[in-house]
Amino acid sequence: MSISNPVYKTVALVVAGGRGARAGDAHDTPKQYRALAAKPLLARTLEAFLNMERVDAVLPVIGGDHHEMFSAMGLSHPKLLEPVSGGTTRQLSCLAGLEALEPYAPDFVLIHDGARPIVEESVVGAVLDALETADGAIPATLVTDTIKRSLDGKTIGGTEDRTQLFAAQTPQGFRFSRILGAHRKAVTMTDGFTDDAAVAEWANLKIVLAQGSTRNIKVTLAEDFPRAERILAGDRTMETRIGTGYDVHAFAEGKEVILGNVAIPHDAALKGHSDADVVLHALSDALYGALAEGDIGHHFPPSDPQWKGADSRLFLAHAAERVRARGGRIVNLDCTVICEAPRINPHVMAMRERIAEIAGIAVSRVAVKATTSEQLGFTGRREGIAAQAMASIELPGDDT
């Protein structure tokens, strides 16, 4: 006895198989899995559709090597279908998703960019309403800027009539059988179409415009993350906060020191309850200071044996997460290491990369410098290492 598939009228197909290199991610994590206001961007996109009454199911299309990252998001919902692997281009990924939906044979499919996390129910409703009399419908907004044409990128060749120009968004809605057929034919010709409306136009389907939203932005560049976070926060005015941190640890017997989560060979180690990483300790305290949320000792008491020998990346990751949890973002981190030895400069880039990865920000927002104390004081006597740090963050202005 065979078990039939559920009957779905409308399915949202969320395409999220790319790498998002233009977002400038420091640790090579695809942008859709980076945190947006304390939650993975893709999780926000999927949850938006999962919570919509007119959407019966949601199918993610992800990269072939993204399944572990997808699972790590911990999403669970009766409407959420098992993700399918996409192709090497957006067009191929869409086709893979549509083929996976064929057994369900929905009436309508909404094809959406995974990098558009602020999709509103009113936009989806407008698209679905328009589908009652068309093969497809796309949300769009009027182009308000004056558009110039240039063949060489230097000289203006003309001015477009902006009254006839619209900025296309997603989700783009279609009658399922017709867009599946169009995609199957199009892929025999090219896989270079950049959106599904272009595939539908090529197939001579009737596509109409529906009302889009200026909030429905696509997170493409690094600066789009804070912009999206401001929208999610209700466009509240952001204020800048500054915090400072200082830490020092004495030398003990050993063969390496841990600084900025990087192991540096030395004739001694640093003594401490955790791994004694003065760089991450100072940076963590700087972030906690900017938040006015105490210090490392407050969040991770040294009296608690579970933190003995702990990797200090836990502290910095927690401090960075606290910033995101309050709707804020880290603007930059700056740390100065003070010691006579070991030499720090050969390891600065590795330290910056590790710090950026842990904090979830671009390497360009992290500075690490080193200096000596001219043989004065305990660092001058080579008794230990000190670090000073500063962090600047943005928080919603009405944050309490």
Side-chain angles (χ1 to χ4, degrees), residues 53-277:
E53 187 176 349
R54 296 181 69 177
V55 175
D56 301 309
V58 180
L59 175 65
V61 181
I62 63 177
D65 58 346
H66 293 180
H67 287 268
E68 186 173 336
M69 288 183 288
F70 184 90
S71 297
M73 295 194 303
L75 287 179
S76 178
H77 195 283
K79 291 184 180 181
L80 185 63
L81 303 177
E82 284 294 316
V84 298
S85 297
T88 55
T89 66
R90 187 188 187 283
Q91 184 182 338
L92 291 174
S93 290
C94 288
L95 179 56
L98 292 169
E99 295 283 8
L101 286 178
E102 188 180 25
Y104 300 98
D107 293 334
F108 305 115
V109 61
L110 299 165
I111 305 178
H112 187 68
D113 296 326
R116 289 187 188 269
I118 316 175
V119 56
E120 298 166 313
E121 196 156 7
S122 60
V123 171
V124 171
V127 170
L128 289 175
D129 289 345
L131 281 178
E132 296 296 333
T133 57
D135 297 318
I138 70 169
T141 57
L142 285 168
V143 172
T144 56
D145 292 327
T146 297
I147 304 299
K148 300 294 184 181
R149 188 190 326 109
S150 175
L151 297 178
D152 59 7
K154 298 177 182 179
T155 306
I156 293 176
T159 302
E160 302 291 345
D161 180 1
R162 67 184 182 189
T163 64
Q164 299 181 26
L165 298 176
F166 295 83
Q169 300 179 339
T170 66
Q172 298 183 351
F174 305 92
R175 293 182 178 273
F176 176 74
S177 60
R178 294 179 187 176
I179 192 63
L180 174 58
H183 262 283
R184 283 173 170 169
K185 291 178 182 177
V187 78
T188 64
M189 304 293 293
T190 178
D191 64 357
F193 287 110
T194 56
D195 79 345
D196 304 282
V199 174
E201 293 163 32
W202 173 83
N204 294 317
L205 299 183
K206 179 185 176 182
I207 310 300
V208 298
L209 297 176
Q211 183 60 53
S213 170
T214 56
R215 292 166 52 88
N216 186 21
I217 67 169
K218 185 176 182 181
V219 178
T220 302
L221 306 175
E223 54 264 35
D224 293 331
F225 275 87
R227 181 185 173 198
E229 288 177 345
R230 287 193 293 271
I231 294 174
L232 289 168
D235 290 319
R236 291 177 288 177
T237 301
M238 303 294 280
E239 66 179 21
T240 300
R241 300 275 198 95
I242 305 295
T244 62
Y246 176 81
D247 194 47
V248 58
H249 282 281
F251 284 129
E253 184 177 348
K255 296 182 179 179
E256 65 180 19
V257 294
I258 307 297
L259 296 174
N261 205 235
V262 174
I264 301 175
H266 190 46
D267 57 10
L270 289 173
K271 180 170 59 176
H273 184 68
S274 62
D275 60 6
D277 189 331

Side-chain angles (χ1 to χ4, degrees), residues 25 108 235 260 272 285-286 295 391 395:
D25 190 6
F108 305 115
D235 290 319
D285 275 350
D295 57 14
L395 288 182

